[in-house]
Amino acid sequence: MLLMEHLIKVYNNISRKKETFVPINSPFVGMYVCGPTVYNDVHLGNVRTFVSFDVIYRYLQYYGYKVRYVRNITDVGHLTEDENAEDKMLKQAKLMQVEPMEVAQLYTNNFHEVLYLFNCLPPNIEPIATGHILEQIEMTQAILAAGFAYEIDGSVYFDVEKFNKKVGYGKLSGRKIEDLIANTRDLDGQENKRNNLDFALWKKANPEHLMRWKSPWGEGFPGWHLECSVMSTKYLGANFDIHGGGMDLKFPHHECEIAQNQAATHYEGARYWLHTNMLTVNGQKMSKSLGNGFLPAELITGDHPVLERGYAPMVIRFFMLQTHYSSTLDFSNEALDAAEKAYFRLMNAWENLNKLSLTPNANLQDAAEMEEVNRLCEACHQSMNDDFNTAMTIANLFELSRKINAYNDGKLALESLDEPTFARLQATYNDFIQVVLGLKNEQKEQGGKLTDGLMDIILDIRKAARENKDWTTSDLIRDRLNTLNVVVKDAKEATTWSVN
Ligand code: AMP
Ligand code: ZN
């Protein structure tokens, strides 16, 4: 598609407004998305966030932008707000009796496999936190030099109150520092921080801590928020276009990232901060620590207490895209059943469309019908331009599929369209399903299931023929199947088939 500037609007969480998307250096777009913490399997909630950004990445490219998509792997650092809680990577490594890097590699591989299953495109750069320790030390030094951090006993902390007075803290989350101070708990062992609100840029490693690096402050490891400031600015510059992640990362993670960026570079990092909303199960956030997350294998087989049966990955992807990324999405069997039906309707129309061929006939062309098809095609673009509204785009595609099915059934004359309108219909439908929404036709790929179903039907027809002593039909079916190497065996109990 040709790049037309200033048509895309995005909801920017930092201004709390829908804004026109204007890249800093068009046609280039820099997008950073917080990746997974690789200490156990990704669950479907994580997948929702990555599928949402996958569609945003896809659409920006489709629109004509040259996107550099950076998505990190978090393999070190404190992963909770409680900086004294045990590092989850280390906990898992001890449990599995392996090296922390083995844990990280195992779950990074798993993450890639899962996203591949859900047809997510890989990012352009996938930096790893432990691969950027030097840069994290450098940024800590820059923040110290700017006067917004202090060192105590081998650890370095960001001075939130001082930063708030001089620059301002809390812009993204809208939280007031006085309220935050009133609401923070005293955590054991944090007495060396000047203020409970202060967060670690660098932590001194205890003797038993396996993941440790030399630094100007002694052996230690970086704080949770630092890696994203470092890796986003390293690969996209101090001032880049889009920063994304789940809503749960808005505070404290992204708020702290902004503070670090401003302290070190004077820029906030990204101009547009996009947050995906949570996938919930019976109203509760799906999360690793709550243990209510589905693994992809459980989802496909249906082998999970909450699931009645399994669903194909594309059905799940479609289910996710039926809701706008900024709304919560509740996972239930009923919702998935409905999504599955809708998905197959869309896929059937897609197959029908690609079977249609138009012989233009000027006498049959109908201006109103052409206008309607063109309007619906345009609406697909408009809905994606409106903060990547996949829900509306799918609704528009359904309107188009009703038309396609009517042309296919002969209820509407395909010849009412001229060649350019028909070409536009085909291009729009194909592009939006495949390129923008990233959907594949499961029906085709699930050849096994479909073949089984079709063979049941064929053999039932043959059985009926045999019961009616219609040997011609029954033999014809058997011989025709034979030509496809399908061998039919009649036994007393049942007729079976196999492929030679
Ligand atoms: P984590 O591995 O926990 O750091 O999460 C990776 C990404 O998934 C982050 O952007 C989170 O905000 C996001 N995420 C976690 N839980 C959910 C959920 N239930 N629904 C949607 N996104 C989630
Ligand atoms: Zn991050």
Side-chain angles (χ1 to χ4, degrees):
M1 185 173 147
L2 278 182
L3 183 63
M4 281 175 292
E5 297 280 20
H6 306 171
L7 288 183
I8 297 181
K9 297 231 174 343
V10 295
Y11 183 80
N12 191 355
N13 276 271
I14 205 156
S15 65
R16 291 178 193 73
K17 278 197 221 99
K18 217 183 252 188
E19 293 177 19
T20 302
F21 177 64
V22 186
I24 295 162
N25 186 21
S26 183
F28 301 98
V29 170
M31 176 164 94
Y32 184 89
V33 173
C34 291
T37 5
V38 281
Y39 67 91
N40 67 8
D41 294 295
V42 281
H43 58 65
L44 268 193
N46 305 133
V47 173
R48 182 194 186 193
T49 286
F50 298 119
V51 163
S52 302
F53 284 104
D54 180 58
V55 172
I56 292 174
Y57 176 45
R58 283 169 176 274
Y59 189 64
L60 290 172
Q61 292 192 105
Y62 176 68
Y63 194 85
Y65 288 122
K66 301 199 180 327
V67 188
R68 181 181 293 168
Y69 175 20
V70 183
R71 191 183 63 206
N72 68 304
I73 296 282
T74 298
D75 60 348
V76 70
H78 269 281
L79 309 166
T80 59
E81 279 176 67
D82 177 355
E83 288 176 352
N84 286 304
E86 197 176 3
D87 184 315
K88 291 178 182 168
M89 270 331 263
L90 289 179
K91 202 171 159 187
Q92 187 67 16
K94 275 188 208 156
L95 210 72
M96 292 167 71
Q97 295 188 315
V98 295
E99 281 289 312
M101 289 301 273
E102 279 181 270
V103 175
Q105 187 66 58
L106 177 71
Y107 292 112
T108 302
N109 294 347
N110 160 272
F111 172 65
H112 288 154
E113 280 163 21
V114 171
L115 290 202
Y116 180 75
L117 205 63
F118 286 94
N119 206 26
C120 292
L121 299 172
N124 303 94
I125 303 179
E126 194 173 49
I128 300 170
T130 52
H132 296 76
I133 299 293
L134 273 181
E135 291 90 336
Q136 294 184 76
I137 292 174
E138 276 167 19
M139 191 176 264
T140 304
Q141 287 172 317
I143 299 173
L144 276 166
F148 290 117
Y150 55 90
E151 186 212 340
I152 288 184
D153 186 27
S155 293
V156 181
Y157 294 100
F158 192 94
D159 190 335
V160 174
E161 235 176 334
K162 184 170 178 193
F163 179 79
N164 184 51
K165 274 197 202 110
K166 296 215 165 168
V167 185
Y169 178 83
K171 189 174 171 191
L172 178 67
S173 59
R175 300 194 191 199
K176 295 254 175 310
I177 193 138
E178 307 76 44
D179 301 340
L180 288 171
I181 291 170
N183 291 329
T184 45
R185 293 170 293 140
D186 264 327
L187 295 165
D188 284 348
Q190 293 199 19
E191 52 282 348
N192 62 354
K193 287 204 280 189
R194 285 187 197 155
N195 191 321
N196 281 340
L197 270 192
D198 296 347
F199 57 89
L201 297 173
W202 187 263
K203 283 284 282 183
K204 178 184 177 171
N206 296 327
E208 70 276 10
H209 212 104
L210 296 175
M211 295 178 97
R212 54 200 302 138
W213 291 267
K214 287 198 179 83
S215 82
W217 316 285
E219 286 201 356
F221 53 92
W224 169 29
H225 314 298
L226 195 58
E227 60 169 287
C228 288
S229 284
V230 161
M231 297 192 280
S232 60
T233 55
K234 172 160 179 166
Y235 297 109
L236 299 171
N239 190 24
F240 59 96
D241 298 299
I242 298 174
H243 192 308
M247 204 75 102
D248 56 341
L249 297 185
K250 197 192 248 188
F251 187 87
H253 184 53
H254 291 162
E255 198 69 85
C256 295
E257 257 189 81
I258 291 174
Q260 291 168 160
N261 290 345
Q262 283 187 299
T265 72
H266 304 293
Y267 285 105
E268 287 172 352
R271 282 198 182 177
Y272 303 93
W273 289 78
L274 271 56
H275 290 112
T276 52
N277 215 325
M278 295 294 105
L279 182 71
T280 55
V281 189
N282 302 322
Q284 197 180 33
K285 179 191 164 190
M286 187 179 277
S287 94
K288 288 182 196 179
S289 46
L290 286 174
N292 63 351
F294 302 105
L295 302 182
E298 293 167 334
L299 188 79
I300 292 160
T301 58
D303 186 14
H304 189 282
V306 179
L307 289 172
E308 277 162 21
R309 63 186 180 90
Y311 299 90
M314 282 304 109
V315 170
I316 314 281
R317 184 174 168 113
F318 174 80
F319 161 73
M320 290 174 173
L321 298 179
Q322 270 184 311
T323 300
H324 187 251
Y325 73 83
S326 67
S327 306
T328 53
L329 172 62
D330 199 52
F331 197 87
S332 70
N333 285 288
E334 297 73 43
L336 277 169
D337 287 346
E340 189 178 64
K341 282 202 189 92
Y343 164 81
F344 283 121
R345 281 212 316 274
L346 203 66
M347 292 300 117
N348 282 338
W350 191 17
E351 284 189 356
N352 287 341
L353 173 68
N354 291 322
K355 277 188 281 184
L356 289 174
S357 78
L358 173 70
T359 313
N361 184 335
N363 295 329
L364 294 176
Q365 278 157 18
D366 177 338
E369 182 65 13
M370 288 194 276
E371 200 186 313
E372 178 72 356
V373 169
N374 278 306
R375 182 188 68 76
L376 288 170
C377 290
E378 188 52 37
C380 289
H381 292 270
Q382 281 165 358
S383 47
M384 282 306 289
N385 287 345
D386 184 11
D387 196 21
F388 312 104
N389 195 334
T390 53
M392 277 306 298
T393 304
I394 289 174
N396 291 322
L397 287 172
F398 271 116
E399 297 252 350
L400 282 176
S401 61
R402 271 188 279 280
K403 294 246 166 242
I404 292 165
N405 291 341
Y407 299 138
N408 193 50
D409 300 344
K411 286 188 187 128
L412 274 175
L414 184 60
E415 292 74 19
S416 59
L417 307 182
D418 61 11
E419 247 178 327
T421 307
F422 180 60
R424 186 173 186 198
L425 168 65
Q426 277 193 315
T428 306
Y429 206 87
N430 280 321
D431 284 355
F432 274 81
I433 287 185
Q434 222 170 350
V435 184
V436 175
L437 299 178
L439 293 169
K440 292 191 289 189
N441 194 346
E442 288 281 1
Q443 226 167 0
K444 268 192 198 138
E445 273 149 37
Q446 285 201 339
K449 248 190 193 171
L450 183 66
T451 311
D452 285 353
L454 292 174
M455 282 306 296
D456 285 347
I457 297 173
I458 294 168
L459 293 183
D460 279 349
I461 295 170
R462 185 163 170 273
K463 192 173 161 210
R466 280 160 66 88
E467 281 164 3
N468 290 334
K469 303 204 172 359
D470 179 359
W471 309 118
T472 323
T473 305
S474 103
D475 289 348
L476 180 72
I477 292 174
R478 191 197 53 213
D479 295 341
R480 292 286 300 271
L481 287 172
N482 249 328
T483 62
L484 299 172
N485 290 336
V486 177
V487 182
V488 175
K489 285 195 193 106
D490 293 310
K492 245 190 202 157
E493 324 75 65
T495 299
T496 55
W497 63 274
S498 59
V499 181
N500 255 353

